[in-house]
Amino acid sequence: MPVLQVWMQYAKVEMSPPTLKDIPAIRSGFSKLIHSARTGRYRDVTVREAVINSLVAAEIYCWFFVGECIGKRHFVGYDV
């Protein structure tokens, strides 16, 4: 049972929507992203940062795919 309680604790924190306190951090993150795109900083990332960014992009893609499957209620095609 302790493992389940720890998992629930992390799930409550990680799966909660952003609060009003999180908005300044989100804005600064977007401004850093735009600044790095303008200055070419994205070319100076380490291998570790590139792997992490790739995994995050893959996770976003997978969640999009799962959402599509849930939305259309079929794995392949639409039920017409």
Side-chain angles (χ1 to χ4, degrees):
M1 274 317 234
V3 174
L4 182 62
Q5 291 172 350
V6 170
W7 184 84
M8 286 299 293
Q9 179 185 359
Y10 284 125
K12 284 180 184 177
V13 172
E14 293 295 327
M15 297 177 124
S16 65
T19 62
L20 291 177
K21 294 188 292 186
D22 298 333
I23 301 228
I26 294 170
R27 278 191 174 170
S28 69
F30 277 130
S31 66
K32 287 179 185 177
L33 180 68
I34 291 170
H35 183 265
S36 68
R38 286 184 183 162
T39 60
R41 164 75 173 95
Y42 62 90
R43 290 181 263 168
D44 298 331
V45 297
T46 64
V47 174
R48 178 184 169 94
E49 290 173 345
V51 168
I52 290 172
N53 290 341
S54 299
L55 290 174
V56 168
E59 181 183 7
I60 291 170
Y61 175 76
C62 288
W63 278 114
F64 175 77
F65 181 73
V66 167
E68 282 286 317
C69 290
I70 291 170
K72 61 186 175 183
R73 296 184 181 166
H74 295 280
F75 283 114
V76 179
Y78 287 92
D79 189 25
V80 261

